[in-house]
Structures are given as structure tokens and as C-alpha cells.
Amino acid sequence: DGLGGWTDQGDNDLRALPNGRIQISGLPFMITDNAMVLSDGRIPAWPGRAEVEAIDRHGTCLYLLHAAAWAPQTETSVGQMTLAFADGSSEVRDIRSQRDVADWWNPVDHLDNARLGWSSENPQASVGLFVTRIAIPDRPLRSLTCTAVGGAVWMVCGLAIGEDVPLPVSTQAQDTLVEDARWRPTPVTWEGEPGSAAQLAVTEPVY
């Protein structure tokens, strides 16, 4: 609706991210005024895919500085990256919510294949970007194509190609209950009187 901001949410934006060459999770990224913001149908006016030239770039790992908006809370594909190599071959890598990336709003830091690399505040919430490491064949690239899938919005602020650099260890623990003598799983059936507030709360989610 033209509110502005990288997800068209007005001042709920990424204004705090500095421009220029910066180190995030020990990796160099060049941040400019432009980012790839890709939508798989959620915002029809936005593109669903974008291509980046990578002539003769090569390394064993590709690093993404990115995030998702309206990200699924289950391990679901939100993006695909197609690597086109100079020899004419190509490979596809799947980017999955809750494994490789998560929502930029009130970000978490307990993903299997990503770390919260940068975080700050905007006028509405805590915001952040994730660094994801993707192993790739060490041969010259021609281009990279990013495509949003699964109805998500996928935002890519930076790309880096190089050698394998371990990502920092997460310091944010994810709470987990383990069955033992004190705790055991109990099935719960959510039911409510038809038309009641309890029944509507279960069947009519609010976004």
C-alpha cells in the first residue's frame, strides 16, 4: 500500500542497518541502499526472483545475510537459490524457515544452519538479520538466482563467497522439555462450545 520500508510496513523497517563494508559473524559484507526483497504472491507488486552476476567467483561456501517476513514457524521452504556455474552446470539449494532463516521481527538465535548476525531496534520492535552458510562446489560461478517460494517474503541484504568459516556458537538456548519422572506428555484436545469465545479462539487465528 506504499507505506515504505523494506517490507512496506512504514517505520517498521531496517533503518538501523549501517551502509558500507561491515563485518558480521566474522564475514565481510557490502551493505548498500538496495536489497533483494522477494515475494511469492504475498505482495503481488514485488518480484518473485532476482539474479546476481557472480562471474568467476568461487569458493567452498556461500554466505547469506538475510531474513524472512511472515516466516512460517515450521521448517518450510521460503526460498531457493540456483547456482549457475561457468561450465554450464547448475545446482539448487533450498532455504528453509526455522533451519536456515527466520523472521526478521523479534529474531531468534537457535537455528541449525544460521546465526543471528546483526540485531537492532526500530520504532516498533527488535529486528535482525541471519547469516547462513551453504556448502557449494569450488568451481567458477556465472550467476546466482534467488527465488521466493511457499508464500513467504524473503529478503537478502548481502552475499559472500569464500572458504569455510565456522559460524559463532549460539548463546540463545531453546527451551526443551524432556520426558522423565516429573514430566510426561499429556494429549490435549481443544474444544469449545460452538460460537463461544473459546471455540473461535481455536478455529479463527488472528494475524
Side-chain angles (χ1 to χ4, degrees), residues 20-46:
R21 187 179 177 88
I22 60 177
Q23 291 281 126
I24 297 179
S25 296
L27 298 162
F29 291 97
M30 177 60 74
I31 306 301
T32 70
D33 289 332
N34 300 311
M36 287 189 291
V37 182
L38 308 173
S39 172
D40 182 33
R42 175 176 284 273
I43 303 178
W46 291 0

Side-chain angles (χ1 to χ4, degrees), residues 6 13-24 27-35 65 117-121 127-129 157-158:
W6 76 327
D13 59 17
L14 210 64
R15 69 184 67 191
L17 181 66
N19 278 9
R21 187 179 177 88
I22 60 177
Q23 291 281 126
I24 297 179
L27 298 162
F29 291 97
M30 177 60 74
I31 306 301
T32 70
D33 289 332
N34 300 311
L65 180 64
W118 174 88
S119 61
S120 188
E121 305 277 336
V127 295
L129 296 172
C157 288

